[in-house]
Amino acid sequence: MFDGSRYEIQQKIAIGNAYVVSEEGREILASKQKKLKLKEDFRFTDADGGEELFRVKADSVLDTSAAYDIEDSRTGERVGSVKRSLKSLLKHEYQLLGPDGDVVATVKEDNWLRAFVRRMVTTLLPFAYVVEADDGSEVGRIEGAFSFRDRYTVSVSGDIDPRLVVIAAVVIDAIEEN
């Protein structure tokens, strides 16, 4: 699990936000956002819906300033966090923080013109994000596909933890309600 460089995320038809994550055509994770919580809470289980593998919890009630902490449920290890950037008004932008809390990458919507069209003209244009390391190099992409429910392909390269990027893609989609 998380040995590859390409992942598929598909939103399931369900009450609330539910997702399936696949690697090389094999389902590896299922996710469901807990509803009626003051703070956002996501649980990621193995594909069969059994064992909890990852947990994501918001550190505050306000979505605009929340960091979403990602933890490996089996080991208690902190994988990292996803935090909305203050620059996120015109284009979605998030910081990915490593286990020590340092910024390891930024997830940015592809360009401002498409962002504007998505918000003001049509939501049918799929979202697309670039994942940049702190030196500006591209270490991943999150690309939406035209579909009835949200569907993304996540590509990861370089030294970034794929667990952080893939889980961040699910969290971003759910909180943005793309």
Side-chain angles (χ1 to χ4, degrees):
M1 181 184 312
F2 290 106
D3 296 324
S5 61
R6 187 174 167 92
Y7 304 87
E8 301 291 328
I9 299 171
Q10 186 163 0
Q11 188 176 30
K12 294 167 48 175
I13 297 174
I15 296 173
N17 291 316
Y19 298 85
V20 173
V21 177
S22 300
E23 178 181 14
E24 296 179 8
R26 183 176 53 89
E27 291 182 1
I28 59 171
L29 291 176
S31 172
K32 188 158 181 109
Q33 182 180 13
K34 294 236 177 207
K35 288 295 178 190
L36 303 174
K37 293 271 193 182
L38 284 177
K39 294 182 185 179
E40 297 288 357
D41 187 345
F42 299 84
R43 304 295 166 96
F44 290 80
T45 61
D46 59 27
D48 298 327
E51 181 184 6
E52 181 180 304
L53 302 177
F54 299 97
R55 177 179 292 184
V56 179
K57 290 190 114 178
D59 67 354
S60 70
V61 177
L62 291 175
D63 179 27
T64 57
S65 63
Y68 299 86
D69 297 320
I70 303 167
E71 180 181 288
D72 184 315
S73 298
R74 295 172 293 178
T75 65
E77 168 197 16
R78 184 170 187 259
V79 174
S81 299
V82 182
K83 184 170 177 64
R84 185 188 306 269
S85 173
L86 295 176
K87 302 179 208 174
S88 198
L89 294 175
L90 298 176
K91 292 189 335 181
H92 296 162
E93 185 171 312
Y94 289 83
Q95 295 176 323
L96 300 184
L97 311 175
D100 57 2
D102 292 336
V103 176
V104 296
T106 304
V107 178
K108 300 177 181 180
E109 203 168 351
D110 54 354
N111 73 48
W112 69 269
L113 182 57
R114 274 191 249 183
F116 178 80
V117 170
R118 286 181 190 116
R119 285 165 189 68
M120 301 302 171
V121 179
T122 181
T123 58
L124 294 176
L125 187 60
F127 280 81
Y129 300 89
V130 63
V131 183
E132 292 180 353
D134 55 350
D135 67 0
S137 63
E138 185 176 309
V139 293
R141 293 192 72 75
I142 303 168
E143 298 180 289
F146 185 75
S147 166
F148 177 66
R149 297 300 282 173
D150 296 341
R151 194 174 73 207
Y152 293 90
T153 299
V154 178
S155 303
V156 181
S157 61
D159 292 335
I160 193 157
D161 186 340
R163 300 174 303 170
L164 178 60
V165 178
V166 170
I167 292 172
V170 172
V171 171
I172 291 168
D173 185 72
I175 62 177
E176 293 294 349
E177 297 179 0
N178 288 338

